[in-house]
Amino acid sequence: IVAPKYFNSLDRSRETVLRQNLNVMRDSIDKFYSDTGKYPGDLAELVEKRYLRAVPVDPLTDSRETWVAVPPADGTSGLYDIHSGSPEQAKDGTYYGAW
């Protein structure tokens, strides 16, 4: 009886951590752009320039290397947005990679 509630709670916790990590990284990208007038080349540049202390771990893939970088729509280089590298589906039916 307890096991399904426990695993459901773990899934909700991972989703919460993912949302928080995405918000922090997106805020850092925006601040970098505001300060420099260009997008960072990658997440490592955000860490190097102290906009992030470290690249967060994707809670669904348990890796720092699986984040999917989205370039700017205007064709310039850089990191405009970030998504999870997980192919899994969230509890609400959307895919984590689309968040």
Side-chain angles (χ1 to χ4, degrees):
I1 295 173
V2 175
K5 288 183 179 183
Y6 171 75
F7 289 113
N8 191 25
S9 174
L10 284 178
D11 291 342
R12 280 196 317 264
S13 297
R14 286 187 189 111
E15 288 182 2
T16 301
V17 170
L18 175 62
R19 286 183 197 276
Q20 182 178 6
N21 287 349
L22 288 171
N23 285 335
V24 167
M25 289 188 294
R26 288 172 177 160
D27 185 53
S28 297
I29 292 168
D30 291 342
K31 287 178 181 176
F32 185 94
Y33 183 80
S34 177
D35 291 346
T36 64
K38 64 181 182 105
Y39 291 105
D42 56 12
L43 291 173
E45 186 174 357
L46 290 174
V47 173
E48 179 183 309
K49 303 278 177 134
R50 310 296 263 162
Y51 286 87
L52 289 174
R53 288 184 186 214
V55 176
V57 173
D58 184 335
L60 302 171
T61 62
D62 290 325
S63 174
R64 297 177 199 275
E65 307 299 322
T66 57
W67 295 111
V68 177
V70 177
D74 62 4
T76 59
S77 64
L79 175 65
Y80 173 75
D81 197 6
I82 197 81
H83 295 287
S84 173
S86 174
E88 297 175 23
Q89 210 170 7
K91 295 289 183 194
D92 64 2
T94 61
Y95 287 93
Y96 293 119
W99 285 12

